[in-house]
Amino acid sequence: MSLKEIYDESNEAVYVAATNAPGPAGKLPLTPEMLINRPSGDIFGMTLNAGMGWEPEKLTGKEVLVIGVTGGIRGADGKPVALGLHTGHYETPLQFEAAAREVAKAGGVPYAAYVSDPCDGRTQGTTGMFDSLPYRNDAAIVFRRLIRSTPVRKAVIGVAACDKGLPALMMALAAQHDLPTILIPGGATLMPTKGEDAGKVQTIGARFANGELTLEEASELGCRACASAGGGCQFLGTAGTSQVVAEGLGIALPHSALSPSGQPVWLEVARQSARAVLQLEQRGITTRDILTSKAIENAMVVHAAFGGSTNLLLHLPAIAHAAGLAMPSVEHWTAVNRRVPRLVSVIPNGPIYHPTVRAFMAGGVPEVMLHLRALGLLNLDVLTVTGETLGANLDWWETSERRRRFREMLEKQDGVSPDDVIMPPAKAAARGLTSTITFPIGNIAPEGSVIKSTAIDPSVIGEDGVYRHKAKAKVFVSEVDAIHAIKSGNIVAGDLMVVIGAGPSGTGMEETYQVTSALKHLSYGKHVALITDARFSGVSTGACVGHVGPEALAGGPIGKLRDGDIVEMVVDCRKLTGSLNFLGTEEAPATAEKGAAILAARPPHPDLAPQAELPDDTRLWAALQAASGGTWRGCVYDADRIIEVLEAGRAALAAKRD
């Protein structure tokens, strides 16, 4: 292309350009006290506000920052001028606008600021996944900096829907100890009337490669899976679970998580949230009053009752850390999951695979909480963003018109009983719903690991409630190699796959959803087990154990396994205990104790190494989160710990030079 083609000289409009303008009419509502005592930034901020078109006489209202995640350029007709990275942030500007208009209607001055966020679905199986989890910390930092860079704000409203932007925003809001804050969940994508959800549809490649789908079927299913342009995916993955947990924490309004994107109730949630945060500001209620240790425990209880994503084991500790609270430990998670029954039947856990919008219609988080209250499992005296206690919120919900109407709508529109989506405890137990998470340990995972045990296919679990799988390991040093083995027919029923080098130091702790989703939706997949130091998508199910610690590249025993090693996985889905052990080889069997000694003496797998394309940004993240306590402390940045490590390192280097 030539310069002449770039600079289209036939466009005469570019030669009409003003060099000055009258400026906004009116006067700033300044007082002598403001001019003498206020920082120049406050005064100049008013000048900027007038320059952007806000009426000068209205600039003294309470200033509220609406902050969150967006992407793409949505035209006035709803069609994309430019695509977002995912549906979860494409329509959020509508919620931003609804909240901002409500603030202005009340006489306030709304500001809006944004970051964007990646899509884990879009980056599955690509090097983009190396940036996924690290991005959470980056976004949380930027959110906090933007909030601090709006020093006049009296309250903060957050808007987000999906896997990384939402946990990052919750971390940022949690850090606003002395400000009132509220979260507007971005809702859920609608299901196609006929088709597959956005989780299952990500397996069309594996199913086609295995002869279980035609090209025509794959093309049609892939086209229609996202039936609305906004919201998080239709399953209870990390996006949906984060929305649910926000309600559990009390930082989002009751019955706001998982609302149907683009629908009137979805927009009304934004307006209601704006009204609520203004009331919090008026009453002097801040984030510190709402986010307490009891609130963290409530969120864990709600997570267990829903059967939420294992990624919240990374995100909820990070939120607690930002709030200045104790992080939940593995022991705490285990104790909660042992006493809390799973009550919700949605994708991906089942037993009936309802989309999450149906959970909203069935009553959502407050409906689940009614059951949990009856079981005595909630801290009812905690304060929430309604300005009322959780107990008072549930009293309102139980007799509310909103509850009755939405539950009736679900039955009338979809022919689904609300109690088949959110089950009373007795019904859930009768249907075989088990508690959510188990933390296996053993000579492969001496620091622990995690499995969503409630999502193991019941047909492969023994009558005693125990899943057992003992097989020769097939070891892969990358997810790419593992999915290639599945697609090329080299994985069969009875296999035990081990993916190593996929933890923080190797890949940024990528998701391995390509593998777990293929195993879920291939006919033989339920008979294959997986062990990895990576993490999983929230929609992952099956006999898949992740978060194995220590990770392979930190010297973990998992990194010393070889093809043909005998590995045993045992998960008690009732007692929530489990083990992962190397038991020697076919020629030389060993006990778990002897196996530990053999692994300790072995060198790492010869092909074990960080991924060649791992970005320096992610390498830095891996080092900083490791210095802060690693994955079991939420992969956070703990400034005090990092500074301590750096100072010790500087001292060691100085001593070495001397």
Side-chain angles (χ1 to χ4, degrees):
M1 181 176 282
S2 68
L3 283 171
K4 188 173 181 180
E5 289 173 300
I6 295 170
Y7 291 91
D8 180 6
E9 295 180 0
S10 66
N11 184 3
E12 290 293 326
V14 302
Y15 299 108
V16 179
T19 59
N20 62 77
K27 299 177 182 179
L28 295 182
L30 297 174
T31 65
E33 187 276 332
M34 292 167 66
L35 290 169
I36 293 169
N37 296 319
R38 296 279 290 274
S40 64
D42 288 2
I43 307 301
F44 183 60
M46 297 175 77
T47 299
L48 294 171
N49 295 345
M52 287 183 275
W54 204 263
E55 295 178 49
E57 63 272 17
K58 295 183 178 179
L59 284 173
T60 55
K62 288 179 180 176
E63 290 146 307
V64 177
L65 176 62
V66 188
I67 194 166
V69 176
T70 190
I73 303 173
R74 185 179 185 276
D77 61 355
K79 299 293 185 182
V81 177
L83 294 165
L85 301 184
H86 54 90
T87 59
H89 63 207
Y90 179 67
E91 286 193 336
T92 51
L94 299 176
Q95 289 184 306
F96 274 90
E97 181 178 349
R101 288 188 181 279
E102 196 68 23
V103 171
K105 180 180 173 182
V109 180
Y111 296 80
Y114 317 90
V115 301
S116 197
D117 58 349
C119 175
D120 287 351
R122 187 179 290 274
T123 59
Q124 289 294 337
T126 76
T127 56
M129 183 52 70
F130 299 163
D131 289 289
S132 172
L133 183 56
Y135 181 83
R136 183 205 67 177
N137 287 14
D138 296 342
I141 290 171
V142 174
F143 279 134
R144 290 194 297 266
R145 291 193 187 279
L146 287 171
I147 292 169
R148 292 193 296 267
S149 297
T150 316
V152 294
R153 74 278 182 268
K154 301 295 189 296
V156 181
I157 300 171
V159 184
C162 277
D163 292 26
K164 298 301 167 297
L166 181 49
L169 183 56
M170 292 163 73
M171 290 163 63
L173 295 180
Q176 309 311 308
H177 305 157
D178 299 318
L179 280 174
T181 60
I182 197 166
L183 178 77
I184 301 171
T189 307
L190 299 183
M191 277 288 289
T193 305
K194 185 178 180 181
E196 296 181 349
D197 68 88
K200 186 174 183 179
V201 83
Q202 291 181 52
T203 69
I204 54 177
R207 285 184 285 158
F208 174 77
N210 280 267
E212 298 188 9
L213 271 185
T214 67
L215 178 60
E216 182 72 11
E217 288 169 333
S219 301
E220 289 183 0
L221 290 168
C223 184
R224 69 170 71 104
C226 296
S228 63
C233 291
Q234 306 105 325
F235 47 79
L236 193 70
T238 306
T241 305
S242 296
Q243 294 187 34
V244 163
V245 162
E247 271 199 59
L249 288 168
I251 61 173
L253 286 176
H255 202 228
S256 61
L258 309 177
S259 63
S261 69
Q263 302 302 297
V265 67
W266 176 80
L267 276 179
E268 185 60 22
V269 164
R271 290 187 281 266
Q272 292 163 343
S273 299
R275 294 196 290 271
V277 84
L278 290 171
Q279 286 190 20
L280 292 178
E281 193 278 334
Q282 187 175 10
R283 294 175 58 184
I285 298 173
T286 70
T287 306
R288 190 192 305 275
D289 300 317
I290 293 169
L291 274 182
T292 63
S293 296
K294 286 184 176 181
I296 296 291
E297 184 169 41
N298 281 346
M300 296 170 71
V301 168
V302 169
H303 175 276
F306 266 83
S309 163
T310 56
N311 280 319
L312 270 292
L313 274 69
L314 300 170
H315 300 321
L316 192 56
I319 293 164
H321 177 259
L325 302 170
M327 294 186 185
S329 64
V330 169
E331 293 75 20
H332 196 180
W333 281 105
T334 301
V336 166
N337 277 268
R338 281 180 175 160
R339 70 176 189 266
V340 178
R342 179 164 70 90
L343 304 175
V344 180
S345 179
V346 292
I347 307 166
N349 301 327
I352 302 170
Y353 298 108
H354 295 291
T356 51
V357 163
R358 285 184 178 165
F360 174 84
M361 302 292 282
V365 174
E367 190 68 24
V368 172
M369 283 183 160
L370 287 181
H371 295 304
L372 296 173
R373 178 171 71 170
L375 295 172
L377 294 171
L378 293 171
N379 298 301
L380 299 172
D381 58 343
V382 295
L383 200 60
T384 72
V385 289
T386 64
E388 303 292 336
T389 65
L390 175 58
N393 291 347
L394 294 180
D395 287 342
W396 162 78
W397 173 257
E398 191 166 21
T399 59
S400 69
E401 176 79 356
R402 184 183 179 99
R403 179 191 185 213
R404 182 185 66 80
R405 293 281 295 275
F406 275 107
R407 286 169 62 85
E408 286 178 356
M409 286 168 63
L410 176 61
E411 194 135 24
K412 183 177 180 180
Q413 292 176 193
D414 289 10
V416 172
S417 167
D419 288 344
D420 284 338
V421 182
I422 297 173
M423 301 183 188
K427 184 173 186 176
R431 292 299 303 272
L433 275 69
T434 57
S435 296
T436 299
I437 293 173
T438 300
F439 297 92
I441 58 172
N443 63 26
I444 294 172
E447 289 183 359
S449 63
V450 66
I451 181 171
K452 191 192 283 187
S453 49
T454 193
I456 300 175
D457 192 297
S459 67
V460 297
I461 298 173
E463 291 184 4
D464 58 354
V466 180
Y467 171 82
R468 298 175 178 87
H469 193 98
K470 186 177 180 180
K472 293 180 181 179
K474 290 186 176 179
V475 180
F476 304 92
V477 294
S478 74
E479 189 206 16
V480 172
D481 292 343
I483 192 64
H484 177 72
I486 291 172
K487 288 185 174 182
S488 59
N490 292 324
I491 299 297
V492 297
D495 279 346
L496 191 149
M497 303 175 70
V498 182
V499 179
I500 63 175
S505 302
T507 67
M509 204 175 188
E510 67 181 353
E511 288 185 353
T512 53
Y513 184 59
Q514 278 197 115
V515 175
T516 60
S517 62
L519 295 178
K520 177 179 175 66
H521 295 292
L522 289 170
S523 55
Y524 63 85
K526 66 183 179 181
H527 300 291
V528 177
L530 170 68
I531 301 171
T532 181
D533 52 1
R535 62 191 175 91
F536 299 133
S537 165
V539 72
S540 295
T541 58
C544 302
V545 176
H547 298 225
V548 169
E551 64 169 312
L553 284 163
I558 189 175
K560 300 180 179 184
L561 294 175
R562 305 286 194 274
D563 284 342
D565 284 345
I566 303 298
V567 172
E568 182 182 55
M569 179 192 303
V570 179
V571 180
D572 190 322
C573 300
R574 295 175 186 168
K575 296 180 181 177
L576 303 187
T577 58
S579 60
L580 293 177
N581 284 305
F582 160 71
L583 299 177
T585 63
E586 193 171 48
E587 299 76 20
T591 64
E593 292 75 19
K594 187 175 179 182
I598 294 170
L599 289 178
R602 264 190 193 177
H605 192 289
D607 298 327
L608 178 65
Q611 292 297 305
E613 295 178 275
L614 190 69
D616 286 347
D617 297 331
T618 299
R619 291 176 59 224
L620 179 60
W621 166 84
L624 294 176
Q625 65 84 34
S628 303
T631 56
W632 296 107
R633 293 191 80 248
C635 295
V636 300
Y637 293 160
D638 186 319
D640 292 336
R641 285 191 177 205
I642 292 168
I643 290 168
E644 182 181 2
V645 169
L646 289 173
E647 289 176 346
R650 279 196 294 265
L653 288 172
K656 187 177 180 181
R657 284 193 296 268
D658 294 342

